[in-house]
Amino acid sequence: MFRKLGALVASAAVLAAVSAGSAAASVTVYSGNDYGAGAMSARPNAFGARADYLAAAATLGADQLITFESAALGAFSSLDLGSGVTLTGVNDFGADQKIAGASSCLDALCGYNISVGGSKFFEVYGGEATFNFLNPISSFGAFIAGAQIEGIHFAFTDGSSQSVDVPGQYGTSFVGFTDTDKSISAVSLIVGNDILSVDDVHFTFAAPGGGVGGVPEPASWAMMIAGFGGVGASLRRRRAARPPLAA
């Protein structure tokens, strides 16, 4: 009985390893910009990009959302956003970044709140900011408003250095990415000399050890069932070939 159980477990382990190894890791970017669009404008490209991102991220796990509405207004050196997420950063003058409740200028130029029914947002006054994740993630996305220069980008490491550009066109953008089978512990926004806002930040926690959580895909189930069938047939052949016990 124990030999049979051991064979089944060993077969399942091998099949799981083959299934996991067959998925190619890749960074897929979802980005859309609505030129000159502010809070009162239609923003089909940005919201369309978010919809595409959410559909892809849903295959990796449950969506997590940060709106900044529960954060205190004003400057911070390190902001606890809950769920093991902290936000740090310094502005273009080496001072702390801040949570704002109103735009510093025209909303399409300096950013604004995106959250429905909300008022607060993360104002990045140049420099950089980093989202730190106690539990690694495998997807990330956010609305960016007011970006006007080229070179603004998200930077992160998933075993190698990665960079995702933010459109340098004033107005409203959504920029997101999925990174299948990877674990990311920090995502930095490199801004330089510009003022912009970040709001409605989405992310998905990675499965322990990297990869995708949840139930196996249909192809994986087929492989596992075939494997168990093969093990069962082998055990039946062994039992049929065994000589009868003496009376």
Side-chain angles (χ1 to χ4, degrees):
M1 176 62 183
F2 290 107
R3 285 195 296 271
K4 293 179 184 179
L5 180 59
L8 288 170
V9 171
S11 176
V14 171
L15 287 167
V18 171
S19 177
S22 64
S26 63
V27 176
T28 303
V29 177
Y30 304 86
S31 179
N33 170 263
D34 294 289
Y35 182 80
M40 302 303 294
S41 306
R43 294 151 291 177
N45 296 328
F47 280 90
R50 180 174 71 168
D52 291 342
Y53 160 82
L54 289 175
T59 66
L60 304 179
D63 179 58
Q64 310 294 321
L65 175 64
I66 297 171
T67 65
F68 302 104
E69 294 303 316
S70 62
L73 292 172
F76 62 87
S77 58
S78 179
L79 181 62
D80 183 358
L81 297 172
S83 299
V85 184
T86 56
L87 176 60
T88 58
V90 294
N91 65 25
D92 205 31
F93 302 99
D96 293 335
Q97 302 283 14
K98 72 174 184 177
I99 299 298
S103 180
S104 298
C105 63
L106 293 176
D107 53 12
L109 290 174
C110 296
Y112 60 96
N113 166 74
I114 291 285
S115 306
V116 176
S119 61
K120 299 178 182 178
F121 56 93
F122 174 34
E123 182 181 74
V124 186
Y125 207 92
E128 61 185 56
T130 299
F131 291 86
N132 303 281
F133 300 92
L134 179 63
N135 301 301
I137 64 171
S138 56
S139 74
F140 181 91
F143 281 96
I144 309 292
Q148 302 175 63
I149 62 175
E150 299 295 332
I152 299 173
H153 63 280
F154 287 108
F156 60 96
T157 300
D158 62 359
S160 59
S161 297
Q162 304 285 355
S163 178
V164 174
D165 291 336
V166 173
Q169 301 175 350
Y170 98 99
T172 303
S173 301
F174 180 86
V175 180
F177 61 86
T178 57
D179 199 1
T180 306
D181 294 333
K182 295 293 184 179
S183 294
I184 302 165
S185 296
V187 177
S188 296
L189 176 60
I190 312 302
V191 176
N193 185 23
D194 200 357
I195 301 173
L196 53 79
S197 68
V198 179
D199 205 3
D200 279 17
V201 177
H202 296 266
F203 63 93
T204 302
F205 287 118
V212 180
V215 299
E217 296 180 357
S220 300
W221 278 117
M223 292 177 62
M224 294 175 68
I225 291 170
F228 284 131
V231 171
S234 176
L235 291 173
R236 287 194 297 272
R237 286 195 298 270
R238 291 180 184 177
R239 186 163 54 246
R242 186 181 301 165
L245 295 174

